[in-house]
Amino acid sequence: MAESVAHYRTPPEGVRALGLALTGAGTIRAQNRSLVRRTLTGYAGVLVTSGTGLLVLHDRHGRHRIEAGMFFWVPPGVQHTYGPSEGTWDEFWVLFEGPSTGSYEELGYLGGGAVALVPSDPAAVVTAMAAQVEGAGGAASLQDHIALGAGLHALIHAVGPGCGPAADRSAASSLGRRAIAALTADLERPVRIGEVARELAVSRDTLIEAVRGVTGETPIGYLTRYRLDRAKVMLADTDLPVGGIARRVGYADPAYFTRVFTQRVGMAPTAFREQVSRDRNDRGQ
């Protein structure tokens, strides 16, 4: 006979607006039946810790075999069926909602790639799921619900992006990191994505997806952010003029560098340098 623990919560007003809000969490031991053609208004996450079974998202993706140690997301509004195919299985489950789900989907999380996967950090996922169940059982205050929401972010991070089985994910991560090293090896030279792809013996599209899997951005998007981070260090720690810094991080035109910096950082390079200087003076550094 199945043994279950289930907690359902209605978060206080305003918690959902913080990004993620837990609405339910529980465990089921010796689950011997499937949930059939269910549809949810929010997201569900399920970790199977023993047994095997099937997941079917009826509106997309097809059928997926689930084995012990695998995690899967169930999106809102998608009719689904899942459960053990033979005997029983044990599971943790969570229910949640919030505006951050859309952003995570765009970054390739919450089933943005593979629907069912082996988590990036299995031990951390078990810990995070157990914490959600325990926390939901005692959640009463605003602080409790905020802590549960923060725990959901940690859970999503531990599960990792949905880019397939662990071996494929590891290979993609290795390629992405090699691509990043090539892109940032010499910031002063122009970067051509096609040349980096040929250097690494992959297609341009494969390179772009590998970098996106590691950084959440295209190669150019990541490189722009990296260049600005390096520029911030030089603005803070050197007396180099803005034009010299621009050239060292790959911008031949200082005026263009200033426009990009201002748009992305929210202030001009000279204003950033002045702010860092004031902050250091205030701290007596």
Side-chain angles (χ1 to χ4, degrees), residues 5-60:
V5 173
H7 305 294
Y8 297 96
R9 290 290 177 262
T10 302
E13 186 175 353
V15 170
R16 185 181 183 280
L18 296 176
L20 296 174
L22 185 79
T23 57
T27 61
I28 305 177
R29 292 177 56 85
Q31 172 66 282
N32 57 7
R33 65 182 183 86
S34 294
L35 290 169
V36 179
R37 291 190 173 275
R38 182 181 68 167
T39 304
L40 297 169
T41 58
Y43 255 98
V46 180
L47 173 67
V48 174
T49 56
S50 71
T52 61
L54 291 173
L55 163 68
V56 181
L57 300 183
H58 296 281
D59 299 334
R60 61 175 94 166

Side-chain angles (χ1 to χ4, degrees), residues 120 161 163 165-183 196 199-202 206-215:
S120 299
C163 56
D168 294 345
R169 196 163 59 240
S170 177
S173 177
S174 175
L175 173 60
R177 294 184 188 283
R178 285 187 289 129
I180 290 168
L183 289 166
V196 175
E199 179 184 332
L200 298 177
V202 297
T206 296
L207 177 78
I208 290 172
E209 288 307 308
V211 172
R212 192 191 301 275
V214 174
T215 68

Side-chain angles (χ1 to χ4, degrees), residues 227-237 245 261 265 272:
R227 284 170 163 162
L228 293 180
D229 287 347
R230 296 300 303 160
K232 287 179 181 178
V233 172
M234 284 185 268
L235 286 165
D237 295 341
I245 291 173
F261 190 100
V265 179
F272 178 84

